[in-house]
């Protein structure tokens, strides 16, 4: 059975697939760069409002970010 990706792993994947830095994401979301790093390392998770903003940024569904679906 394949391990499901975490929210942080999905954010990291999408960021790298778009060729963006953590600083780029932080600027767009108006958060500190360390916050993006914490998400990607699974130390913290973004709140629901930020999940929505991340989904808009990457043109994906919130269900994808939350691991409810894989595409």
């Amino acid at each position: 059975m394949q391990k499901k990706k975490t929210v942080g792993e999905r954010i990291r994947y999408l960021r790298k697939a778009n060729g963006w830095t953590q600083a780029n994401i932080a600027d767009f979301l108006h958060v500190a760069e360390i916050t993006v790093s914490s998400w990607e390392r699974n130390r913290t998770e973004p709140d629901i409002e930020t999940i929505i903003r991340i989904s808009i940024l990457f043109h994906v569904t919130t269900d994808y970010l939350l691991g409810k679906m894989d595409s």
Side-chain angles (χ1 to χ4, degrees):
M1 182 186 269
Q2 187 177 6
K3 177 187 166 246
K4 283 203 166 204
K5 289 185 179 179
T6 65
V7 173
E9 289 170 330
R10 289 172 189 265
I11 292 170
R12 181 184 315 123
Y13 168 78
L14 291 166
R15 176 180 63 79
K16 288 184 174 191
N18 283 280
W20 297 341
T21 65
Q22 289 179 345
N24 296 140
I25 305 304
D27 286 344
F28 180 85
L29 298 172
H30 305 289
V31 298
E33 190 174 338
I34 191 82
T35 302
V36 177
S37 175
S38 292
W39 296 336
E40 290 186 1
R41 294 172 183 258
N42 297 308
R43 292 185 177 154
T44 61
E45 289 188 352
D47 61 31
I48 191 64
E49 288 182 25
T50 305
I51 291 283
I52 293 167
R53 290 175 32 216
I54 293 168
S55 73
I56 292 167
L57 172 66
F58 290 120
H59 305 284
V60 297
T61 65
T62 54
D63 281 349
Y64 170 78
L65 286 173
L66 296 171
K68 303 285 183 185
M69 51 192 295
D70 287 326
S71 59

